[in-house]
Amino acid sequence: MRQTFDETTTPAFGREHAPLIRAAMAAQGLDGFVIPHEDEHQNEYLPAANDRLAWATGFTGSAGAAVLLKDKAAIFVDGRYALQVRDQVDTDLFEVRDLVEGGVPAYLQSEARAGWTIGYDPKLHSPEALERLKSAAAKAGAALKPVTPNPLDAAWGAARPAQPQAPVSPHPTQYAGEDSAAKRERVGKSLAEMGADAALITSPASAAWLFNIRGGDVIRSPLPLSQAILNADGSARLFLDPAKVTPDLPAWLGNGVTLETTEALPGALGDLAGQKVLVDPGTSSAWFFEALEKAGAKVVRAADPTALPRACKNAVEVEGARQAHIRDGAALVRFLRWVATDATETLPDETEVVRKLEGFRDATGALKDLSFDTIAGAASNGAIVHYRPTERLTKRLQRGSLLLVDSGAQYLDGTTDVTRTVAIGTPSQEMRERFTLVLRGHLALARIRFPAGTTGSALDVLARAPLWARGLDFDHGTGHGVGSYLGVHEGPQRISKLPNSVALRPGMIVSNEPGYYKEGGYGIRIENLQVVTQPAEIAGGERPMLGFETLTLAPLDRALIVTEMLTAEEHAQIDAYHARVLATVGPQVEPDVRAWLEKASAPL
Amino acid sequence: MRQTFDETTTPAFGREHAPLIRAAMAAQGLDGFVIPHEDEHQNEYLPAANDRLAWATGFTGSAGAAVLLKDKAAIFVDGRYALQVRDQVDTDLFEVRDLVEGGVPAYLQSEARAGWTIGYDPKLHSPEALERLKSAAAKAGAALKPVTPNPLDAAWGAARPAQPQAPVSPHPTQYAGEDSAAKRERVGKSLAEMGADAALITSPASAAWLFNIRGGDVIRSPLPLSQAILNADGSARLFLDPAKVTPDLPAWLGNGVTLETTEALPGALGDLAGQKVLVDPGTSSAWFFEALEKAGAKVVRAADPTALPRACKNAVEVEGARQAHIRDGAALVRFLRWVATDATETLPDETEVVRKLEGFRDATGALKDLSFDTIAGAASNGAIVHYRPTERLTKRLQRGSLLLVDSGAQYLDGTTDVTRTVAIGTPSQEMRERFTLVLRGHLALARIRFPAGTTGSALDVLARAPLWARGLDFDHGTGHGVGSYLGVHEGPQRISKLPNSVALRPGMIVSNEPGYYKEGGYGIRIENLQVVTQPAEIAGGERPMLGFETLTLAPLDRALIVTEMLTAEEHAQIDAYHARVLATVGPQVEPDVRAWLEKASAPL
């Protein structure tokens, strides 16, 4: 689980590997090949064996794509990775393009030539993504052609790591809060109501939730790579590499679930002939749609039926999240004290900061994994939104600057994700003012009450308005869903400028993480997780309102808060939060840490 | 132009007219007929001759629909009209249903019987609306059938008023700011860029803007009912009843525009054979699509190409709006003084309030029309969102309660729309607190700065957050677009909970009108118009931000503001606004009015 600081790729990867891929393309009669970041599980998190984009280009970000044409190539990343891509990728070989503005379709449309054949692997693209590629290629007079095996895998060959085989074990009901049979019956009923006979579940997180199982095939997220068929009557078939099955698993799955090998899946799709089968066109590969249609099943395109039930945590999961955050809060408080005292003296480098925080979390005795690689960004490294310290890039802390630490943990009872920005030594007035603007947005989103039906898109402006008023903004989403001992990024809800039609519902856990980044200077982000509360009456009001309960418990750096910029309501909100941190986490920590926390969480 | 207080319909309309329509249905072999509010121009504003829904049911609201089946009937209205529909319509005859939740499609799906034929008039439905109806009817096993003439028009017969023939005149460039040739060239180019040869323009407001003409076929809005074909080269054909053509018009339209009769339109569609013709599936009737396709044209479904250019007012139009609002502000200040003094003494009824306000506007010498019938709601009538005073419903002002007045004017240089809520005598603490909550939302939306690309949907929460925090809300949109001496409701932008993908752009005029309504008690609404400003640098900031310039100039009732509930920023914002009202409108009014305004706009 230990975080490492090495680099698994170099910019030479492109020069070394692109010719191999192009040779395999030529052998298949292809003029181009599309390399998405996503793997056959359409997952953000990849095992090394499936990180094709990294092998082809050197780029290790969590989202992106590349197109290799026979005479040129491009890599596509979003704004978060604009700096990183230039550091990791040979830009003589790969033109850097924006993943969102135009993206791969626009490139195919302008760069493919009439009569060309562009290959794609149907297991690596959702039908929705594929439609856009096909339409763009057609405008250029080029054709897209499915290729199995794809030329990249052919070129990778023996050098490719093996598929992971981490053990899959039960996730006990004391943490899950609802047994799998009840979940399957509930989701099965929703299938029946939609007129579907079954659903094909291809997202590993969905299988993990539905069967109350956890695995370890992917770093930082206890996902069991697997697929499943759920029938409307609640019975199911789970497809899993037998090497991953732990002894307790078959009994845990119970009578309603048959455990089968991954190889049995194509045959099982054939059993669905004549049935109406729900598949999610946003998260399942095009390959599944084609296979089902060939098998004679009637495909119903609809959202993964487990996504919304999984996002709405039950009472046991919410209570687990509270406990996880108290435990994590104690580790954070110990860490923040170390930063404010020892580290401000010795000015260690970022890797030491990461190791120290991991050590405090490890010492809780409950840490299963980090929930993602810790981002510790000192000074200008803090301005790189998706920075990860490496031996090459690491900086020492600097007095008079900021340290941004975005980190999280996986515990059996919950997943955490928290960002604190702290001053090392004396911060500048500009740093303090901009921190306070970010904080005001964060507070507005934390205290908002809202009626049922409100989406995260509608609330996003609350976190940005104070920055906007000063001509500032940040170029990432404001909040993402978080799983329960599952992925730290989870849909379908989101708090973002982008439209999202999913209303926030009780039990959903979302992050609240506005920021500000001064390129070459410093970065600020303040992130708490918060859970959507049940609609409740408000004294003197007429309509019940939902709201947020903040889960994350760690003090905000008082040295960075300009109290004169706060309204009375904001001032009181910070004091109340700090009082809660002290009351909840204070009893968990040693006397000297507690003494520090008392000062750190004193009223402003 | 005078506002009247009579009622043009009675609840007996349904009993009198439905049997006539049903007889005509039977003669056409129909088992049902769909009656939309929209007419053949797909317009919110209807001439009496086209208000089919009112004739069939008695309901006179600005949005709605009815379905007449052979054995039952329903009327569909949105939340704004929930009370009014029960007052105007015989609910023994027409079941009242929600227009938005389920609406007509859900009714057809559940109430139509297999084998039934439901008639519709293809001139009265957009293709988008029709798709939903057809799909719903199909689920019930019923078929939709186009009928011309429709059974309602057949039943209405000689009793139906004549089509309006108001004169159509030039709208001078000193108000329009851009001559028609330039507009036509600009929009024509955008057609060419989309690969279209021509556009069919069926919205009267679009024709009015494109040709710089104004008419009077519809009350409260200077619309010329007409259609046009705009070619990509900027030339155009305008179809207009010759009785409406004023002597100056042909020369004003110039060489690039041929003026033709309405009867020539079907033939002109035939001339488009083989061409790519843009038509808006949201605002043009299905009939046009069918006619174009029959004529051999290739229909390109896309938004009306004049909608966005029309919404973004040019510098002359924005300056016109400022002048119109200063003039209108002077009339409003005279009116508000009368309410605060004479009317609080004599307690007149709502119709007198309406007449008085109209008189002040008339006295400006520039009033062309009201921009809609003034809503003056005393006490509990203020809680009826789309109330219009009538002799039957009017109330006298009551001391210790509120008066809500929502009104607007049409001037050559601009259209106004303003709501003020004032206390008559001493308001209750609850009234003051709720007014202040509404005001805080209004202020937040007035002062927001935002980056390019931000939509009105993203900003809506700003106007609601203070109410939500107290368990309150309002059931209407927060803001609508406003035309320039055109419709007081204009798209495509909107500030609303509903998703809307159109970004706010410089020159767009929108209303900012949060409210609170206590059924049976009182109503509160605060409405100003505001124009989106150009992106501008902010001192100390990094990114240019758009914002709003408030156009409406009239004091807010200081007796209703609880200053202790305001932040320092809000307090200063109100004082600055009041100072601006005094500085701008003060010089326009008589000394005694000015003396009153000085007190009414004094710092809090």
Side-chain angles (χ1 to χ4, degrees):
Chain A
M1 118 176 75
R2 295 284 169 205
Q3 183 164 337
T4 60
F5 306 97
D6 50 346
E7 289 168 80
T8 53
T9 69
T10 78
F13 269 36
R15 218 170 316 122
E16 292 164 12
H17 302 152
L20 305 178
I21 305 171
R22 282 201 171 105
M25 278 162 49
Q28 293 183 317
L30 301 176
D31 304 296
F33 180 65
V34 182
I35 308 168
H37 173 268
E38 293 75 22
D39 70 354
E40 31 279 81
H41 303 281
Q42 290 288 310
N43 226 3
E44 179 182 352
Y45 311 97
L46 304 178
N50 295 350
D51 200 348
R52 296 176 178 87
L53 186 62
W55 186 77
T57 68
F59 177 69
T60 60
S62 66
V67 174
L68 212 56
L69 299 178
K70 55 186 176 184
D71 56 351
K72 56 174 71 169
I75 183 160
F76 303 81
V77 301
D78 62 40
R80 298 174 299 175
Y81 292 112
L83 299 176
Q84 180 176 327
V85 70
R86 286 180 171 75
D87 190 55
Q88 292 190 314
V89 175
D90 183 342
T91 53
D92 289 341
L93 216 63
F94 289 93
E95 181 191 349
V96 176
R97 294 231 178 177
D98 194 285
L99 182 67
V100 183
E101 293 289 323
V104 176
Y107 185 78
L108 288 182
Q109 189 173 335
S110 71
E111 304 304 325
R113 297 282 152 261
W116 278 15
T117 302
I118 312 290
Y120 71 92
D121 185 333
K123 292 203 168 179
L124 307 185
H125 301 265
S126 72
E128 289 182 355
L130 202 54
E131 270 318 305
R132 291 188 288 271
L133 298 183
K134 282 185 176 169
S135 149
K139 282 178 188 157
L144 279 192
K145 185 183 167 188
V147 280
T148 311
N150 72 58
L152 189 151
D153 292 358
W156 204 349
R160 184 177 175 188
Q163 288 293 322
Q165 295 188 318
V168 176
S169 348
H171 184 54
T173 311
Q174 74 181 100
Y175 301 118
E178 182 181 12
D179 68 29
S180 170
K183 289 180 179 180
R184 286 183 278 110
E185 192 188 326
R186 187 153 71 95
V187 179
K189 262 191 195 152
S190 76
L191 293 178
E193 280 162 16
M194 295 173 66
D197 301 306
L200 176 62
I201 306 286
T202 66
S203 156
S206 297
W209 176 83
L210 187 62
F211 299 106
N212 288 336
I213 56 177
R214 295 295 186 268
D217 291 330
V218 170
I219 198 163
R220 309 302 178 215
S221 191
L223 293 176
L225 296 184
S226 55
Q227 290 91 15
I229 294 169
L230 173 67
N231 298 307
D233 67 3
S235 67
R237 303 170 73 172
L238 173 60
F239 302 89
L240 204 57
D241 181 344
K244 303 200 279 194
V245 176
T246 54
D248 294 348
L249 195 66
W252 174 251
L253 292 171
N255 286 334
V257 181
T258 59
L259 191 53
E260 306 181 40
T261 68
T262 305
E263 286 67 33
L265 178 62
L269 299 183
D271 299 342
L272 296 170
Q275 293 196 38
K276 286 189 182 171
V277 183
L278 186 154
V279 199
D280 187 332
T283 65
S284 297
S285 302
W287 182 87
F288 290 112
F289 289 79
E290 286 160 23
L292 280 169
E293 275 154 13
K294 264 188 212 151
K298 183 159 191 281
V299 172
V300 179
R301 294 179 174 225
D304 180 335
T306 68
L308 198 56
R310 181 173 83 230
C312 299
K313 274 66 182 170
N314 60 44
V316 170
E317 289 171 316
V318 171
E319 183 52 31
R322 290 191 190 106
Q323 295 307 319
H325 279 88
I326 293 173
R327 184 183 316 120
D328 205 52
L332 278 165
V333 165
R334 292 182 185 108
F335 167 75
L336 290 170
R337 172 180 177 261
W338 172 80
V339 172
T341 54
D342 296 9
T344 296
E345 280 300 308
T346 60
L347 302 177
D349 84 317
E350 293 159 354
T351 66
E352 178 61 20
V353 170
V354 168
R355 272 188 281 259
K356 199 78 188 178
L357 177 53
E358 189 171 316
F360 285 122
R361 283 199 165 110
D362 212 11
T364 64
L367 184 68
K368 303 295 286 183
D369 196 353
L370 304 180
S371 61
F372 56 98
D373 278 349
T374 295
I375 297 168
S380 61
N381 279 347
I384 305 169
V385 174
H386 267 239
Y387 177 71
R388 182 181 73 89
T390 64
E391 296 294 355
R392 185 167 62 89
L393 300 174
T394 186
K395 274 183 192 286
R396 299 188 76 86
L397 305 200
Q398 293 172 27
R399 284 206 192 85
S401 191
L402 303 181
L403 171 67
L404 182 157
V405 182
D406 187 351
S407 69
Q410 294 284 7
Y411 303 107
L412 283 173
D413 48 3
T415 301
T416 71
D417 183 2
V418 49
T419 308
R420 286 295 179 270
T421 303
V422 293
I424 305 300
T426 307
S428 72
Q429 184 62 13
E430 182 193 270
M431 291 171 187
R432 298 181 68 229
E433 286 177 4
R434 293 186 177 181
F435 181 91
T436 307
L437 294 173
V438 173
L439 177 59
R440 293 187 65 208
H442 173 89
L443 294 170
L445 183 57
R447 73 173 177 271
I448 184 75
R449 299 295 299 266
F450 54 89
T454 303
T455 67
S457 304
L459 301 185
D460 180 75
V461 64
L462 298 169
R464 298 183 193 267
L467 286 160
W468 286 355
R470 300 282 288 264
L472 306 172
D473 200 359
F474 55 95
D475 294 326
H476 58 74
T478 298
H480 55 82
V482 176
S484 181
Y485 189 44
L486 267 181
V488 74
H489 292 160
E490 178 183 276
Q493 77 278 17
R494 183 174 61 203
I495 300 175
S496 157
K497 286 181 180 183
L498 301 172
N500 178 329
S501 61
V502 179
L504 294 169
R505 296 174 197 226
M508 284 180 170
I509 295 177
V510 291
S511 69
N512 170 356
E513 49 177 315
Y516 165 75
Y517 308 93
K518 182 158 185 158
E519 198 179 322
Y522 55 88
I524 295 166
R525 187 158 65 247
I526 302 171
E527 178 186 24
N528 284 348
L529 298 192
Q530 43 197 42
V531 59
V532 179
T533 56
Q534 296 288 340
E537 300 294 333
I538 293 176
E542 294 168 351
R543 305 184 186 192
M545 293 284 162
L546 292 76
F548 292 113
E549 172 190 331
T550 294
L551 293 168
T552 304
L553 296 165
L556 304 159
D557 189 350
R558 299 168 79 254
L560 286 170
I561 303 174
V562 183
T563 49
E564 302 76 45
M565 288 169 62
L566 302 176
T567 64
E569 186 176 24
E570 290 163 348
H571 192 125
Q573 190 181 352
I574 297 166
D575 285 350
Y577 175 68
H578 274 156
R580 192 178 146 221
V581 170
L582 180 61
T584 321
V585 179
Q588 311 293 319
V589 294
E590 306 68 44
D592 53 341
V593 177
R594 189 186 157 92
W596 176 84
L597 179 60
E598 277 170 7
K599 276 189 274 184
S601 60
L604 291 176
Chain B
M1 117 176 76
R2 297 282 169 205
Q3 183 164 336
T4 60
F5 306 97
D6 51 345
E7 290 168 80
T8 53
T9 69
T10 78
F13 268 36
R15 218 169 317 122
E16 292 164 12
H17 303 151
L20 305 178
I21 305 170
R22 283 202 170 103
M25 279 161 49
Q28 293 183 316
L30 300 176
D31 304 296
F33 179 65
V34 182
I35 309 169
H37 172 268
E38 292 76 22
D39 70 354
E40 31 279 81
H41 303 278
Q42 290 289 311
N43 226 1
E44 179 181 353
Y45 313 97
L46 305 177
N50 295 351
D51 199 350
R52 296 176 177 88
L53 186 62
W55 186 76
T57 69
F59 176 70
T60 61
S62 66
V67 174
L68 213 57
L69 299 177
K70 56 186 178 186
D71 55 351
K72 59 173 70 167
I75 183 160
F76 304 81
V77 301
D78 62 41
R80 300 173 300 176
Y81 292 112
L83 299 174
Q84 179 176 328
V85 69
R86 287 183 168 75
D87 189 55
Q88 292 190 314
V89 175
D90 182 342
T91 53
D92 289 342
L93 216 63
F94 289 92
E95 180 192 350
V96 176
R97 294 233 180 175
D98 193 285
L99 182 66
V100 183
E101 293 288 323
V104 175
Y107 185 78
L108 288 182
Q109 189 174 335
S110 70
E111 304 303 325
R113 296 284 152 261
W116 278 15
T117 302
I118 312 290
Y120 72 92
D121 185 333
K123 292 202 168 180
L124 307 184
H125 301 265
S126 72
E128 288 183 355
L130 203 53
E131 270 318 305
R132 291 188 288 270
L133 298 182
K134 282 185 176 169
S135 149
K139 283 179 188 157
L144 279 193
K145 185 185 169 187
V147 281
T148 311
N150 73 57
L152 188 152
D153 292 359
W156 206 347
R160 184 177 175 187
Q163 287 295 320
Q165 295 187 318
V168 175
S169 345
H171 184 56
T173 311
Q174 73 179 103
Y175 302 118
E178 181 182 13
D179 67 28
S180 170
K183 289 181 179 180
R184 285 183 279 109
E185 192 188 326
R186 186 154 68 97
V187 179
K189 262 190 197 152
S190 75
L191 293 178
E193 280 162 18
M194 295 172 65
D197 302 305
L200 176 62
I201 306 286
T202 66
S203 156
S206 296
W209 176 83
L210 186 63
F211 299 104
N212 288 336
I213 56 177
R214 295 296 186 268
D217 290 331
V218 170
I219 197 164
R220 308 303 177 216
S221 193
L223 293 177
L225 296 184
S226 56
Q227 289 91 15
I229 294 169
L230 173 68
N231 299 307
D233 67 3
S235 67
R237 304 170 72 173
L238 172 61
F239 303 90
L240 205 58
D241 181 343
K244 303 201 278 197
V245 176
T246 54
D248 295 346
L249 196 65
W252 174 251
L253 292 172
N255 287 333
V257 181
T258 59
L259 193 53
E260 308 181 40
T261 67
T262 304
E263 285 69 31
L265 178 63
L269 299 183
D271 299 342
L272 296 172
Q275 295 197 35
K276 286 189 182 171
V277 183
L278 186 155
V279 199
D280 187 332
T283 65
S284 296
S285 302
W287 183 87
F288 290 112
F289 289 79
E290 287 162 20
L292 279 169
E293 276 155 12
K294 262 187 213 153
K298 181 157 193 279
V299 172
V300 179
R301 295 179 174 224
D304 181 335
T306 67
L308 198 56
R310 182 173 83 232
C312 299
K313 274 67 182 170
N314 60 45
V316 170
E317 290 171 316
V318 171
E319 184 53 32
R322 290 192 190 105
Q323 296 306 319
H325 279 88
I326 293 172
R327 184 184 314 120
D328 204 52
L332 278 165
V333 165
R334 292 182 184 107
F335 166 74
L336 289 170
R337 172 181 176 258
W338 172 79
V339 171
T341 54
D342 297 12
T344 295
E345 279 299 308
T346 60
L347 300 177
D349 84 316
E350 294 159 355
T351 66
E352 178 61 19
V353 169
V354 169
R355 270 186 283 260
K356 198 79 188 178
L357 176 54
E358 187 171 318
F360 285 122
R361 284 199 165 110
D362 212 11
T364 64
L367 185 68
K368 303 295 288 183
D369 196 352
L370 304 180
S371 61
F372 57 97
D373 278 350
T374 295
I375 297 167
S380 62
N381 279 347
I384 305 169
V385 174
H386 268 239
Y387 178 71
R388 182 180 73 90
T390 63
E391 297 294 356
R392 184 168 63 89
L393 300 174
T394 186
K395 275 182 192 286
R396 300 186 76 84
L397 306 199
Q398 294 172 28
R399 284 204 193 87
S401 192
L402 303 180
L403 171 66
L404 182 157
V405 182
D406 187 352
S407 70
Q410 294 284 7
Y411 303 106
L412 283 172
D413 48 3
T415 301
T416 71
D417 183 0
V418 48
T419 309
R420 286 295 179 269
T421 303
V422 294
I424 305 300
T426 307
S428 72
Q429 184 62 12
E430 181 192 271
M431 291 169 189
R432 298 180 68 229
E433 286 177 4
R434 292 187 178 181
F435 181 91
T436 307
L437 294 174
V438 173
L439 177 59
R440 294 188 63 206
H442 173 89
L443 295 171
L445 184 57
R447 74 173 176 270
I448 185 75
R449 299 295 298 268
F450 54 90
T454 303
T455 66
S457 303
L459 301 186
D460 180 75
V461 64
L462 297 169
R464 299 183 193 268
L467 286 160
W468 286 357
R470 299 281 287 263
L472 307 171
D473 200 358
F474 55 95
D475 294 326
H476 57 73
T478 298
H480 54 81
V482 177
S484 180
Y485 188 44
L486 267 180
V488 75
H489 292 160
E490 178 182 276
Q493 77 278 22
R494 185 174 60 204
I495 298 175
S496 156
K497 284 181 184 183
L498 301 172
N500 178 329
S501 62
V502 179
L504 294 169
R505 296 173 198 229
M508 284 181 170
I509 296 177
V510 292
S511 69
N512 170 357
E513 50 178 315
Y516 164 76
Y517 309 93
K518 183 158 186 161
E519 197 178 324
Y522 55 89
I524 295 167
R525 187 160 61 249
I526 302 172
E527 177 187 24
N528 284 348
L529 298 192
Q530 44 195 42
V531 60
V532 179
T533 56
Q534 295 290 339
E537 299 295 333
I538 293 175
E542 295 167 351
R543 306 185 186 191
M545 293 283 163
L546 292 76
F548 292 113
E549 172 189 333
T550 294
L551 294 168
T552 304
L553 296 165
L556 304 158
D557 190 348
R558 298 168 80 254
L560 286 171
I561 302 174
V562 182
T563 49
E564 302 76 47
M565 288 170 62
L566 302 176
T567 64
E569 186 176 26
E570 290 163 347
H571 191 125
Q573 190 182 353
I574 297 167
D575 285 351
Y577 175 68
H578 274 156
R580 192 178 146 219
V581 171
L582 180 61
T584 322
V585 179
Q588 312 293 319
V589 296
E590 306 67 43
D592 52 343
V593 177
R594 189 186 157 92
W596 176 85
L597 179 60
E598 277 169 7
K599 275 189 276 183
S601 59
L604 292 176

